[in-house]
Amino acid sequence: VLERVKAQTAKNMGQSDPKFEISLFSEMMRKIKRREERGNRVERFNFEVLFKGEEGIDRGGLLREAITTISEELQSYFLPLLVPTANNKNAFGINREKWTINPSSKSPACIAAYEFLGKLMALTIKSNQIIQLELPSLFWKKMLDIPVKKEDLMQIDAFCLNSLESIISLPEECFADFDTCFSATLSDGSTVDLIPNGRNIKVPYSRRQEYAEMVIQARLDEGDMQIAAIKKGFSKLIPQDAYSLFSCDEVEEDICGMHNIDIKALRDMTRYDGYDSDSNLSLIHISEPTRPLYISYAVFCLKKKKI
């Protein structure tokens, strides 16, 4: 039994859950941990979900609602695990809908929560569910131990990369106008020193290339500790080498579902009741993205086109 109303009320009132006490995510984390402490190994969602004070019998729908609510909590300021990418916050560059790891969330409670997030990802796969998370390719590369490159920074902070390229190309007489120090701003807005006391040491013109490389490396190293915890939780249910031959897109699709709907495939698989494929119909709504191979049906709405 999960207290969804309590969690949603707190979220809607603008509260946050930094100690993992009131969110649906934290409640599910505690309940699964208790099951495991009693010796009941949880390898898939083989239990019913009920919402306290709400009617409903779980035949899969309530579980999907719970996972959807958790994904919404994660991609908000309600929980401290993810933050919007700079591209998201600044409405600049590509992938403006993405969220990324909060580099400042390093407390033991947060690391435990990241580990549970990894377990939750594995549970959705083993239970033929999806958790709709908008994470950049940089995240999925790290999940698969694929080396990340400078170009991957464009996925989360195009403005930073463009600014660094501008600094490198500046003539010396213009560089003096910039108050640039040996520090970098991370995705959550926090500042890290690139050298000891770096935020108080100005970058000389002769070291501007070195400075740019240090910033890029610091940005690419963001969230390594947290992603290691996610991988640890994930591997408790699914061995990491099980995905060694998969691409980042394939792993993301397996966990988060498809971002793009194949309209032709949908049309070919559609059964019409009272209409036929030649009727003037247009698609106005589809229920949710789904994984290929596991889908048995999709709920969608059609309306007749005006002629």
Side-chain angles (χ1 to χ4, degrees):
V1 179
L2 300 173
E3 295 190 57
R4 179 170 64 167
V5 172
K6 176 183 176 182
Q8 287 187 327
T9 300
K11 179 174 176 287
N12 293 339
M13 292 177 63
Q15 297 180 28
S16 60
D17 189 22
K19 296 183 179 180
F20 306 99
E21 297 173 334
I22 55 178
S23 60
L24 208 65
F25 172 86
S26 57
E27 188 177 5
M28 184 172 282
M29 177 170 62
R30 288 192 299 272
K31 289 184 182 296
I32 288 179
K33 182 179 180 181
R34 289 193 200 108
R35 278 174 169 260
E36 292 175 334
E37 288 174 346
R38 291 197 297 265
N40 299 320
R41 182 172 170 81
V42 178
E43 294 191 348
R44 55 178 50 84
F45 289 114
N46 56 356
F47 50 85
E48 291 186 350
V49 169
L50 298 174
F51 295 126
K52 185 176 180 179
E54 301 181 55
E55 294 183 359
I57 299 175
D58 190 13
R59 294 293 182 267
L62 297 184
L63 172 59
R64 284 194 295 273
E65 284 188 43
I67 296 173
T68 297
T69 300
I70 286 171
S71 69
E72 291 170 353
E73 289 179 345
L74 287 164
Q75 294 170 127
S76 72
Y77 291 105
F78 190 39
L79 288 171
L81 302 183
L82 301 177
V83 293
T85 63
N87 287 357
N88 184 333
K89 288 184 287 189
N90 299 327
F92 183 82
I94 60 176
N95 297 331
R96 300 183 189 184
E97 75 283 2
K98 299 296 185 183
W99 289 66
T100 191
I101 298 296
N102 185 343
S104 294
S105 292
K106 299 178 180 180
S107 69
C110 285
I111 296 302
Y114 282 117
E115 186 173 331
F116 175 70
L117 176 56
K119 185 177 293 185
L120 189 61
M121 290 177 171
L123 282 170
T124 58
I125 292 175
K126 300 192 74 171
S127 305
N128 296 340
Q129 300 289 334
I130 58 171
I131 179 166
Q132 298 173 35
L133 297 175
E134 293 287 351
L135 296 166
S137 60
L138 182 70
F139 171 86
W140 300 108
K141 281 188 173 184
K142 290 186 176 185
M143 284 289 289
L144 294 176
D145 293 328
I146 298 174
V148 293
K149 303 176 181 179
K150 179 180 75 172
E151 293 72 22
D152 293 308
L153 182 57
M154 189 70 72
Q155 300 280 331
I156 61 171
D157 197 344
F159 183 78
C160 173
L161 198 56
N162 290 345
S163 297
L164 292 173
E165 290 174 352
S166 297
I167 287 174
I168 292 171
S169 62
L170 278 175
E172 187 169 3
E173 59 271 17
C174 296
F175 184 80
D177 296 334
F178 286 80
D179 190 22
T180 306
C181 295
F182 280 102
S183 62
T185 302
L186 305 183
S187 291
D188 65 331
S190 62
T191 301
V192 294
D193 290 329
L194 302 174
I195 60 174
N197 197 34
R199 69 194 69 190
N200 296 315
I201 300 175
K202 288 190 176 182
V203 178
Y205 184 74
S206 60
R207 298 184 66 185
R208 67 193 189 285
Q209 178 73 45
E210 178 189 0
Y211 161 76
E213 292 172 357
M214 293 170 75
V215 171
I216 291 169
Q217 192 59 54
R219 298 302 309 279
L220 293 178
D221 289 345
E222 270 187 40
D224 282 355
M225 176 192 298
Q226 294 87 340
I227 292 176
I230 293 173
K231 289 164 64 176
K232 180 180 178 182
F234 186 89
S235 63
K236 287 184 177 179
L237 297 180
I238 299 178
Q240 192 171 348
D241 58 7
Y243 278 91
S244 59
L245 300 179
F246 284 65
S247 69
C248 292
D249 290 341
E250 288 170 330
V251 174
E252 180 182 9
E253 188 173 287
D254 217 19
I255 295 172
C256 303
M258 295 185 294
H259 289 284
N260 299 311
I261 301 297
D262 188 333
I263 298 298
K264 182 181 182 303
L266 180 63
R267 184 181 294 114
D268 292 342
M269 295 299 294
T270 298
R271 295 181 180 181
Y272 297 87
D273 185 4
Y275 298 93
D276 57 44
S277 59
D278 295 324
S279 299
N280 290 311
L281 301 173
S282 60
L283 182 66
I284 60 172
H285 172 72
I286 187 165
S287 58
E288 60 183 29
T290 49
R291 279 204 300 274
L293 303 182
Y294 298 100
I295 180 173
S296 58
Y297 63 89
V299 178
F300 57 94
C301 299
L302 299 170
K303 71 175 181 179
K304 199 164 187 176
K305 292 180 180 178
K306 294 180 180 180
I307 299 175

